Amino acid sequence: MTSVELEALARIGALKVEAPSRAEYDGLVSLGEARLTDAGRRELAPASRFDLAYNAAHALTLGALRRVGFRAGNRRVVFEALAHTTALAVESRRILIKCHQQRNFAEYEGLSDVDERLLDDLVRAARELRDVVRRLAPSNPET
């Protein structure tokens, strides 16, 4: 499954075409699922839960992108490509992009206050993404 939009992103260098890898897809999905499980642990600090849920979503999103034969060097592009790699709801995609911006503020500007509502939204969106990605058939079962 490729789309005109993904191919256009590859032409301008935002994505790189690379053969799908079943092993990489499986590894990214497994990593995302493990991080998402840990993100649900309410005894952890909100900032830690946010990191875990964000990185879970990122791994799952990378898996969906790798499944269709693309790789990205930019995290934002990975999340924006979700519209072309999964059937994830628009609202969930918006939450993930918003959380990407929040992650950047935390990582690069030291802003570490975590909005509990945004954290709950992130965990919910990441769980939805996990469920959507689980339903995807790997595009290259031999590798």
Side-chain angles (χ1 to χ4, degrees):
M1 172 181 128
T2 62
S3 74
V4 172
E5 292 84 359
L6 293 175
E7 291 167 3
L9 288 169
R11 278 193 301 277
I12 64 169
L15 293 177
K16 178 182 171 191
V17 177
E18 190 173 305
S21 164
R22 173 69 185 263
E24 190 172 353
Y25 169 82
D26 289 344
L28 288 164
V29 171
S30 178
L31 181 62
E33 290 176 336
R35 286 178 173 164
L36 188 54
T37 296
D38 289 345
R41 296 179 54 205
R42 295 216 173 253
E43 69 272 14
L44 296 177
S48 295
R49 292 182 61 224
F50 184 93
D51 285 346
L52 287 162
Y54 170 83
N55 284 306
H58 184 252
L60 292 164
T61 302
L62 280 175
L65 189 62
R66 291 295 297 124
R67 176 186 165 275
V68 295
F70 292 90
R71 184 180 298 281
N74 179 304
R75 285 176 175 254
R76 183 172 179 100
V77 170
V78 173
F79 286 113
E80 290 173 349
L82 275 171
H84 311 294
T85 59
T86 70
L88 187 66
V90 172
E91 181 61 27
S92 292
R93 292 193 319 257
R94 287 183 182 142
I95 289 166
L96 295 176
I97 290 171
K98 181 176 183 175
C99 288
H100 170 71
Q101 294 167 335
Q102 185 68 29
R103 175 254 181 199
N104 282 352
F105 287 135
E107 290 286 319
Y108 300 115
E109 298 178 23
L111 303 177
S112 61
D113 289 339
V114 174
D115 178 328
E116 292 282 339
R117 183 170 175 221
L118 182 60
L119 173 57
D120 290 342
D121 289 345
L122 171 58
V123 170
R124 188 184 72 255
R127 286 178 177 153
E128 180 186 344
L129 176 60
R130 177 204 54 209
D131 295 345
V132 167
V133 170
R134 279 180 176 168
R135 290 190 296 267
L136 297 174
S139 61
N140 189 352
E142 277 82 47
T143 56

